[in-house]
Amino acid sequence: AANKGGPVPLATVLEAQREVIAAELELCGTNKERIAVLEKKVELAREIEKTTARGVEARTVSGTDLLKAQASRLDAEIELEKVKAAPAK
């Protein structure tokens, strides 16, 4: 179903982001490539978190969505750090 101009639910955005990043990671052959993709994931997660925080301030987004955005960003940062710590491939 097409969105009729209303805001896209955060869960939809996070799921779409997860699917794209997962596909990009599948194409990576080295840790250097994985790190680049995960750095992009972290940056996107930060932007989503900032946008969600602005929505909370404007009272157009729930505090729960902000917590989900923060958790998503933290998960992305943890995943990135794990790959950085892994032996190079």
Side-chain angles (χ1 to χ4, degrees):
N3 189 340
K4 304 264 186 201
V8 177
L10 179 64
T12 302
V13 173
L14 294 176
E15 179 62 17
Q17 177 196 26
R18 187 198 65 73
E19 290 175 6
V20 169
I21 296 296
E24 289 179 357
L25 286 172
E26 284 291 317
L27 298 172
C28 293
T30 65
N31 274 4
K32 183 177 180 180
E33 292 171 339
R34 285 181 195 84
I35 288 168
V37 170
L38 292 172
E39 285 174 340
K40 183 171 73 170
K41 180 179 181 178
V42 168
E43 187 56 37
L44 285 169
R46 286 180 181 150
E47 288 302 315
I48 290 169
E49 183 179 0
K50 286 178 191 175
T51 301
T52 305
R54 285 192 295 271
V56 169
E57 290 172 10
R59 297 181 185 213
T60 59
V61 176
S62 75
T64 302
D65 280 346
L66 179 56
L67 291 174
K68 288 178 186 175
Q70 290 169 335
S72 179
R73 189 233 338 131
L74 289 169
D75 286 343
E77 290 175 347
I78 290 166
E79 187 176 3
L80 173 60
E81 290 306 316
K82 284 180 178 178
V83 171
K84 285 183 175 180
K89 289 184 183 177

